[in-house]
Amino acid sequence: MKELLEAAAGGKAHEWGFIPVTELVFSPELLKSCESNVCGHYNSSWTCPPAAGALEEQRAKILAYKNAFIFTTKYDLEDSFDYEGMTRAREIHTVLTLEIREKAGGKFPVYGAGSCPCCKLYAGGGTCAFPDPCRFPEKAISSIEAAGINVTDLSRSAGVKYNNGANTVTYFSMVLFNEF
Ligand code: SF4
């Protein structure tokens, strides 16, 4: 599986690393902070709280696997206000995340930073269907933060950079799997 994931990420991902799921840190405070709705997705996405489930439920789902593959993509921006570039970068990252899941056999859960981006990409820029049924359950990408995992800490544990410098944007994903 390690070789398969690395081959799928090779040439497209910027960096990657592997960590045992037992090293993931789950923070109730992080999940609680979602309630302040700074990102605007609280109670409006299937992959964000409260629909994503309580911390213990999410933790149990993740700990049912043995290992996590963390990878990033990096995209150069024109400047720090390059919203179009950031949107394009997230689309590229989402496509790669789904491609890696497919190449890994399509059966392992994938997580990304932030709320699920799939409807934005595959439903003409649309928002999440929540509370109506998910439009693409086979594509939906769970949220790392909604599982109470801090992405900065995750990047450190996996040995990948959280920030790749001025005028760049870095996106994260995590694929859970069992045996190497
Ligand atoms: S695929 Fe669409 S409806 Fe389903 S969780 Fe993602 S954004 Fe929401």
Coordinates of all heavy atoms in Angstrom, one line a residue, residues 86-164:
M86 N -6.2 30.5 -5.6 CA -6.5 29.7 -4.4 C -7.6 28.7 -4.8 O -7.6 27.5 -4.4 CB -6.9 30.5 -3.2 CG -5.8 31.3 -2.6 SD -6.4 32.3 -1.2 CE -5.4 33.7 -1.3
T87 N -8.6 29.2 -5.5 CA -9.8 28.3 -5.9 C -9.3 27.2 -6.8 O -9.6 26.0 -6.7 CB -10.9 29.1 -6.6 OG1 -11.2 30.2 -5.7 CG2 -12.1 28.3 -6.9
R88 N -8.5 27.6 -7.8 CA -7.9 26.6 -8.7 C -7.0 25.6 -8.0 O -7.1 24.4 -8.3 CB -7.1 27.4 -9.8 CG -6.5 26.6 -10.9 CD -7.5 26.1 -11.9 NE -7.0 25.0 -12.7 CZ -7.5 23.8 -12.9 NH1 -8.6 23.5 -12.2 NH2 -7.0 22.9 -13.6
A89 N -6.2 26.1 -7.1 CA -5.4 25.2 -6.3 C -6.2 24.2 -5.5 O -5.8 23.0 -5.5 CB -4.5 26.0 -5.3
R90 N -7.3 24.6 -5.0 CA -8.1 23.6 -4.2 C -8.8 22.6 -5.1 O -8.9 21.5 -4.8 CB -9.2 24.4 -3.4 CG -9.8 23.4 -2.4 CD -10.4 24.0 -1.2 NE -10.6 23.0 -0.2 CZ -11.7 22.9 0.6 NH1 -12.6 23.9 0.6 NH2 -11.8 21.9 1.4
E91 N -9.2 23.1 -6.3 CA -9.8 22.1 -7.3 C -8.7 21.1 -7.7 O -9.0 19.9 -7.7 CB -10.2 22.9 -8.6 CG -11.4 23.7 -8.3 CD -11.8 24.6 -9.6 OE1 -11.1 24.5 -10.6 OE2 -12.8 25.3 -9.5
I92 N -7.5 21.5 -7.9 CA -6.5 20.6 -8.3 C -6.2 19.6 -7.2 O -6.1 18.4 -7.4 CB -5.2 21.3 -8.7 CG1 -5.4 22.1 -10.0 CG2 -4.0 20.4 -8.8 CD1 -4.3 23.1 -10.3
H93 N -6.2 20.1 -6.0 CA -6.0 19.2 -4.8 C -7.1 18.2 -4.6 O -6.9 17.1 -4.3 CB -5.8 20.1 -3.5 CG -5.4 19.3 -2.4 ND1 -4.2 18.9 -2.1 CD2 -6.2 18.7 -1.4 CE1 -4.2 18.1 -1.0 NE2 -5.4 18.0 -0.6
T94 N -8.3 18.7 -4.8 CA -9.5 17.8 -4.7 C -9.4 16.7 -5.7 O -9.7 15.5 -5.4 CB -10.8 18.6 -4.8 OG1 -10.8 19.6 -3.8 CG2 -12.0 17.7 -4.7
V95 N -9.1 17.0 -6.9 CA -9.1 16.0 -8.0 C -8.0 15.0 -7.7 O -8.2 13.8 -7.8 CB -8.8 16.7 -9.4 CG1 -8.4 15.6 -10.4 CG2 -10.0 17.5 -9.8
L96 N -6.8 15.5 -7.2 CA -5.8 14.5 -6.8 C -6.2 13.6 -5.6 O -5.9 12.4 -5.6 CB -4.5 15.3 -6.5 CG -3.3 14.4 -6.1 CD1 -2.9 13.5 -7.2 CD2 -2.1 15.3 -5.6
T97 N -6.9 14.2 -4.6 CA -7.3 13.4 -3.5 C -8.2 12.3 -3.9 O -8.0 11.1 -3.5 CB -8.1 14.3 -2.5 OG1 -7.2 15.4 -2.1 CG2 -8.5 13.6 -1.3
L98 N -9.2 12.6 -4.8 CA -10.1 11.6 -5.3 C -9.4 10.5 -6.2 O -9.7 9.4 -6.1 CB -11.3 12.2 -6.0 CG -12.1 13.1 -5.2 CD1 -13.2 13.8 -6.0 CD2 -12.8 12.3 -4.1
E99 N -8.4 11.0 -6.9 CA -7.6 10.1 -7.8 C -6.8 9.1 -6.9 O -6.7 7.9 -7.2 CB -6.6 11.0 -8.6 CG -6.0 10.3 -9.8 CD -5.1 11.3 -10.5 OE1 -5.6 12.4 -10.9 OE2 -3.9 11.1 -10.6
I100 N -6.2 9.7 -5.8 CA -5.4 8.8 -5.0 C -6.3 7.8 -4.3 O -6.0 6.6 -4.2 CB -4.6 9.6 -3.9 CG1 -3.5 10.4 -4.7 CG2 -4.0 8.8 -2.8 CD1 -2.6 11.3 -3.9
R101 N -7.5 8.2 -3.9 CA -8.4 7.3 -3.2 C -8.8 6.1 -4.2 O -8.8 5.0 -3.9 CB -9.7 8.0 -2.8 CG -10.8 6.9 -2.4 CD -11.8 7.4 -1.5 NE -12.6 8.5 -2.0 CZ -13.5 9.1 -1.3 NH1 -13.7 8.9 0.0 NH2 -14.2 10.1 -1.8
E102 N -9.0 6.6 -5.5 CA -9.4 5.6 -6.5 C -8.2 4.6 -6.7 O -8.5 3.4 -6.8 CB -9.6 6.4 -7.8 CG -10.5 5.7 -8.9 CD -11.8 5.2 -8.4 OE1 -12.4 5.9 -7.6 OE2 -12.2 4.1 -8.8
K103 N -7.0 5.1 -6.8 CA -5.9 4.3 -7.1 C -5.6 3.3 -5.9 O -5.0 2.3 -6.1 CB -4.6 5.1 -7.4 CG -4.7 5.7 -8.8 CD -3.4 6.4 -9.2 CE -3.5 6.9 -10.6 NZ -2.5 7.9 -10.9
A104 N -6.0 3.8 -4.7 CA -5.8 2.9 -3.5 C -7.0 1.9 -3.4 O -7.1 1.2 -2.4 CB -5.7 3.8 -2.3
G105 N -7.8 1.8 -4.4 CA -8.9 0.8 -4.4 C -10.2 1.4 -4.1 O -11.2 0.7 -4.0
G106 N -10.3 2.7 -3.8 CA -11.6 3.4 -3.6 C -12.3 3.0 -2.3 O -13.4 3.5 -2.0
K107 N -11.6 2.3 -1.4 CA -12.3 1.8 -0.2 C -11.9 2.6 1.1 O -12.5 2.4 2.1 CB -12.2 0.3 0.0 CG -10.8 -0.1 0.1 CD -10.6 -1.6 0.1 CE -9.2 -2.0 0.1 NZ -8.8 -3.3 0.1
F108 N -10.8 3.3 1.0 CA -10.3 3.9 2.3 C -10.9 5.4 2.4 O -11.0 6.1 1.5 CB -8.8 4.0 2.3 CG -8.2 2.6 2.3 CD1 -7.4 2.2 1.3 CD2 -8.5 1.7 3.3 CE1 -6.8 0.9 1.3 CE2 -8.0 0.4 3.3 CZ -7.1 0.0 2.3
P109 N -11.2 5.8 3.7 CA -11.7 7.1 3.9 C -10.6 8.2 3.6 O -9.5 8.0 3.9 CB -12.1 7.1 5.4 CG -11.8 5.8 5.9 CD -11.0 5.0 4.9
V110 N -11.1 9.3 3.0 CA -10.1 10.4 2.8 C -10.7 11.6 3.6 O -11.9 11.8 3.7 CB -9.9 10.8 1.3 CG1 -9.1 9.7 0.6 CG2 -11.2 11.0 0.6
Y111 N -9.7 12.4 4.1 CA -10.0 13.6 4.8 C -9.3 14.8 4.1 O -8.1 14.6 3.7 CB -9.6 13.5 6.3 CG -10.4 12.5 7.1 CD1 -10.3 11.2 6.9 CD2 -11.3 13.0 8.1 CE1 -11.1 10.3 7.6 CE2 -12.0 12.1 8.8 CZ -11.9 10.8 8.6 OH -12.7 9.9 9.3
G112 N -9.9 16.0 4.1 CA -9.2 17.1 3.6 C -9.3 18.3 4.6 O -10.0 18.2 5.6
A113 N -8.5 19.3 4.4 CA -8.6 20.5 5.3 C -9.8 21.3 4.9 O -10.1 21.6 3.8 CB -7.3 21.3 5.2
G114 N -10.7 21.6 5.9 CA -11.9 22.4 5.6 C -13.1 21.5 5.3 O -13.0 20.2 5.3
S115 N -14.1 22.1 4.8 CA -15.4 21.3 4.5 C -15.2 20.6 3.2 O -14.3 21.0 2.4 CB -16.6 22.3 4.5 OG -16.4 23.2 3.5
C116 N -16.1 19.7 2.9 CA -16.0 19.0 1.6 C -16.1 19.9 0.4 O -17.1 20.7 0.4 CB -17.2 17.9 1.6 SG -17.2 17.1 0.0
P117 N -15.2 19.9 -0.5 CA -15.2 20.8 -1.6 C -15.9 20.2 -2.9 O -15.9 20.9 -3.9 CB -13.7 21.0 -1.9 CG -13.1 19.6 -1.6 CD -14.0 19.0 -0.5
C118 N -16.5 19.0 -2.8 CA -16.9 18.3 -4.0 C -18.0 19.0 -4.8 O -18.0 19.1 -6.0 CB -17.2 16.9 -3.7 SG -15.7 16.0 -3.3
C119 N -19.0 19.6 -4.1 CA -20.1 20.2 -4.8 C -19.7 21.5 -5.5 O -20.1 21.8 -6.6 CB -21.3 20.5 -3.9 SG -22.3 19.0 -3.6
K120 N -18.7 22.2 -4.9 CA -18.1 23.4 -5.6 C -17.5 23.0 -6.9 O -17.6 23.7 -7.9 CB -17.1 24.0 -4.6 CG -16.9 25.4 -4.9 CD -16.2 26.1 -3.8 CE -16.2 27.6 -4.1 NZ -15.5 28.4 -3.1
L121 N -16.9 21.8 -6.9 CA -16.2 21.4 -8.1 C -17.1 20.6 -9.1 O -17.0 20.8 -10.3 CB -15.0 20.5 -7.7 CG -14.1 20.0 -8.8 CD1 -13.5 21.1 -9.6 CD2 -12.9 19.2 -8.1
Y122 N -18.0 19.8 -8.5 CA -18.7 18.9 -9.4 C -20.2 19.3 -9.6 O -20.9 18.6 -10.3 CB -18.6 17.4 -8.9 CG -17.2 16.9 -9.0 CD1 -16.5 16.7 -7.8 CD2 -16.6 16.6 -10.2 CE1 -15.1 16.3 -7.8 CE2 -15.3 16.2 -10.2 CZ -14.6 16.0 -9.1 OH -13.3 15.6 -9.1
A123 N -20.6 20.3 -8.9 CA -22.0 20.7 -9.0 C -22.1 22.2 -9.4 O -22.8 23.0 -8.8 CB -22.8 20.4 -7.7
G124 N -21.2 22.6 -10.3 CA -21.3 23.9 -10.9 C -21.1 25.0 -9.8 O -21.7 26.1 -9.9
G125 N -20.1 24.8 -8.9 CA -19.8 25.9 -7.9 C -20.8 25.9 -6.8 O -20.8 26.8 -6.0
G126 N -21.6 24.9 -6.7 CA -22.7 24.8 -5.7 C -22.1 24.6 -4.3 O -21.0 24.2 -4.1
T127 N -23.0 24.9 -3.3 CA -22.6 24.7 -1.9 C -23.1 23.2 -1.5 O -23.8 22.6 -2.3 CB -23.3 25.7 -1.0 OG1 -24.7 25.7 -1.3 CG2 -22.7 27.1 -1.2
C128 N -22.7 22.8 -0.4 CA -23.1 21.5 0.1 C -24.6 21.3 0.1 O -25.3 22.3 0.4 CB -22.5 21.2 1.5 SG -22.9 19.6 2.2
A129 N -25.1 20.2 -0.2 CA -26.6 20.0 -0.3 C -27.2 19.9 1.1 O -28.5 20.0 1.2 CB -26.9 18.7 -1.0
F130 N -26.4 19.9 2.2 CA -26.9 19.8 3.5 C -28.1 20.8 3.8 O -27.9 21.9 3.4 CB -25.8 20.0 4.5 CG -26.2 20.0 6.0 CD1 -26.2 18.8 6.6 CD2 -26.6 21.1 6.6 CE1 -26.6 18.8 8.0 CE2 -27.0 21.1 7.9 CZ -27.0 19.9 8.6
P131 N -29.2 20.4 4.4 CA -29.5 19.2 5.0 C -30.2 18.2 4.0 O -30.6 17.1 4.5 CB -30.5 19.6 6.1 CG -31.2 20.8 5.5 CD -30.2 21.5 4.7
D132 N -30.2 18.5 2.7 CA -30.7 17.5 1.8 C -29.6 16.4 1.6 O -28.5 16.7 1.9 CB -31.1 18.2 0.4 CG -32.3 19.1 0.6 OD1 -33.1 18.8 1.4 OD2 -32.3 20.1 -0.1
P133 N -30.0 15.3 1.0 CA -29.0 14.2 0.9 C -27.8 14.6 0.1 O -27.9 15.4 -0.8 CB -29.8 13.1 0.2 CG -31.2 13.4 0.5 CD -31.4 14.9 0.6
C134 N -26.7 14.0 0.5 CA -25.4 14.3 -0.2 C -25.5 14.0 -1.7 O -26.0 12.9 -2.0 CB -24.3 13.5 0.5 SG -22.7 13.6 -0.3
R135 N -25.0 14.9 -2.5 CA -25.1 14.7 -4.0 C -24.1 13.6 -4.5 O -24.3 12.9 -5.4 CB -24.8 16.0 -4.7 CG -25.8 17.0 -4.6 CD -25.5 18.2 -5.5 NE -26.4 19.3 -5.2 CZ -26.0 20.4 -4.4 NH1 -24.8 20.4 -3.9 NH2 -26.8 21.3 -4.2
F136 N -22.9 13.5 -3.8 CA -21.9 12.6 -4.3 C -21.3 11.8 -3.1 O -20.1 12.0 -2.8 CB -20.8 13.4 -5.0 CG -21.2 14.4 -6.0 CD1 -21.2 15.7 -5.8 CD2 -21.7 13.9 -7.3 CE1 -21.6 16.6 -6.8 CE2 -22.1 14.8 -8.3 CZ -22.1 16.1 -8.0
P137 N -22.1 10.9 -2.5 CA -21.5 10.2 -1.4 C -20.3 9.5 -1.7 O -19.4 9.3 -0.8 CB -22.7 9.3 -0.9 CG -23.7 9.4 -2.0 CD -23.5 10.6 -2.8
E138 N -20.1 9.0 -2.9 CA -18.9 8.3 -3.3 C -17.7 9.2 -3.4 O -16.5 8.7 -3.4 CB -19.1 7.5 -4.6 CG -19.1 8.2 -5.9 CD -20.3 9.2 -6.1 OE1 -21.3 9.3 -5.3 OE2 -20.2 10.0 -7.1
K139 N -17.9 10.5 -3.5 CA -16.8 11.4 -3.6 C -16.5 12.2 -2.3 O -15.4 12.7 -2.1 CB -17.1 12.5 -4.7 CG -17.0 12.0 -6.1 CD -17.1 13.2 -7.0 CE -16.7 12.9 -8.4 NZ -17.6 12.0 -9.2
A140 N -17.5 12.4 -1.5 CA -17.5 13.3 -0.3 C -16.2 13.1 0.5 O -15.7 12.0 0.7 CB -18.7 13.1 0.6
I141 N -15.5 14.2 0.8 CA -14.3 14.2 1.5 C -14.5 14.8 2.9 O -14.9 15.9 3.1 CB -13.2 15.1 0.8 CG1 -13.0 14.5 -0.6 CG2 -11.9 15.2 1.6 CD1 -12.1 15.3 -1.5
S142 N -14.2 13.9 3.9 CA -14.4 14.3 5.3 C -13.4 15.5 5.7 O -12.4 15.7 5.0 CB -14.2 13.2 6.3 OG -15.1 12.1 5.9
S143 N -13.7 16.1 6.8 CA -12.9 17.3 7.2 C -11.9 16.8 8.3 O -12.3 16.2 9.3 CB -13.8 18.4 7.7 OG -13.1 19.3 8.5
I144 N -10.6 17.2 8.2 CA -9.6 16.9 9.2 C -10.0 17.6 10.5 O -10.0 17.0 11.6 CB -8.2 17.3 8.7 CG1 -7.8 16.4 7.5 CG2 -7.2 17.2 9.8 CD1 -6.5 16.9 6.8
E145 N -10.3 18.9 10.4 CA -10.6 19.7 11.6 C -11.9 19.2 12.3 O -12.0 19.3 13.5 CB -10.7 21.2 11.2 CG -9.5 21.8 10.7 CD -9.4 21.8 9.2 OE1 -10.1 20.9 8.6 OE2 -8.7 22.7 8.6
A146 N -12.8 18.8 11.5 CA -14.1 18.3 12.1 C -13.9 17.0 12.8 O -14.8 16.6 13.6 CB -15.2 18.2 11.0
A147 N -12.7 16.4 12.6 CA -12.4 15.2 13.5 C -11.6 15.6 14.7 O -11.2 14.8 15.4 CB -11.6 14.2 12.6
G148 N -11.4 16.9 14.9 CA -10.7 17.5 16.0 C -9.2 17.4 15.9 O -8.5 17.4 16.8
I149 N -8.7 17.3 14.6 CA -7.3 17.2 14.4 C -6.8 18.5 13.8 O -7.3 19.1 12.9 CB -7.0 16.1 13.3 CG1 -7.4 14.7 13.9 CG2 -5.5 16.0 13.0 CD1 -7.4 13.6 12.9
N150 N -5.8 19.0 14.5 CA -5.2 20.3 14.1 C -4.2 20.0 12.9 O -3.3 19.2 13.0 CB -4.4 20.9 15.3 CG -3.8 22.2 15.0 OD1 -3.0 22.3 14.1 ND2 -4.1 23.2 15.8
V151 N -4.4 20.8 11.8 CA -3.7 20.5 10.6 C -2.2 20.9 10.8 O -1.3 20.2 10.3 CB -4.3 21.2 9.4 CG1 -3.5 21.0 8.1 CG2 -5.7 20.7 9.1
T152 N -1.9 21.9 11.6 CA -0.5 22.3 11.8 C 0.2 21.2 12.5 O 1.3 20.8 12.2 CB -0.4 23.6 12.7 OG1 -1.4 24.5 12.2 CG2 0.9 24.3 12.6
D153 N -0.4 20.7 13.6 CA 0.2 19.6 14.3 C 0.4 18.3 13.4 O 1.4 17.7 13.5 CB -0.7 19.2 15.5 CG -0.7 20.3 16.6 OD1 0.1 21.2 16.5 OD2 -1.6 20.2 17.4
L154 N -0.6 18.1 12.6 CA -0.6 17.0 11.7 C 0.6 17.1 10.7 O 1.3 16.1 10.5 CB -1.9 16.9 10.9 CG -2.1 15.7 9.9 CD1 -2.1 14.4 10.7 CD2 -3.3 15.9 9.1
S155 N 0.8 18.3 10.2 CA 1.9 18.5 9.3 C 3.3 18.2 9.9 O 4.1 17.6 9.4 CB 1.9 19.9 8.7 OG 2.2 20.8 9.7
R156 N 3.4 18.6 11.2 CA 4.6 18.4 11.9 C 4.8 16.9 12.1 O 5.9 16.4 11.9 CB 4.5 19.1 13.3 CG 5.7 19.9 13.6 CD 5.6 20.7 14.9 NE 4.9 22.0 14.7 CZ 3.9 22.5 15.4 NH1 3.3 21.8 16.3 NH2 3.4 23.7 15.1
S157 N 3.8 16.2 12.6 CA 3.9 14.8 12.8 C 4.3 14.0 11.6 O 5.1 13.0 11.6 CB 2.6 14.2 13.3 OG 2.1 14.9 14.4
A158 N 3.7 14.4 10.4 CA 4.0 13.7 9.2 C 5.3 14.2 8.5 O 5.7 13.6 7.5 CB 2.8 13.9 8.2
G159 N 5.9 15.3 9.0 CA 7.1 15.8 8.4 C 6.9 16.5 7.1 O 7.8 16.4 6.2
V160 N 5.7 17.1 6.9 CA 5.5 17.9 5.7 C 5.3 19.4 6.1 O 4.8 19.6 7.2 CB 4.3 17.4 4.9 CG1 4.5 16.0 4.4 CG2 3.0 17.5 5.7
K161 N 5.6 20.3 5.3 CA 5.5 21.7 5.6 C 4.0 22.2 5.6 O 3.3 21.9 4.6 CB 6.3 22.6 4.7 CG 7.8 22.5 5.0 CD 8.6 23.5 4.2 CE 9.0 23.1 2.8 NZ 9.6 21.8 2.6
Y162 N 3.7 23.0 6.6 CA 2.3 23.5 6.6 C 2.2 24.7 5.7 O 1.2 25.0 5.1 CB 2.0 24.0 8.1 CG 0.7 24.6 8.3 CD1 -0.5 23.9 8.2 CD2 0.6 26.0 8.4 CE1 -1.7 24.5 8.4 CE2 -0.6 26.6 8.6 CZ -1.8 25.9 8.5 OH -3.0 26.5 8.7
N163 N 3.4 25.5 5.6 CA 3.4 26.7 4.8 C 4.6 26.6 3.9 O 5.7 26.4 4.4 CB 3.5 27.9 5.8 CG 3.4 29.2 5.1 OD1 3.8 29.4 4.0 ND2 2.7 30.2 5.7
N164 N 4.4 26.9 2.7 CA 5.5 26.8 1.7 C 6.0 28.1 1.2 O 6.6 28.2 0.1 CB 5.1 25.9 0.5 CG 5.2 24.4 0.9 OD1 6.3 23.9 1.1 ND2 4.1 23.8 1.1

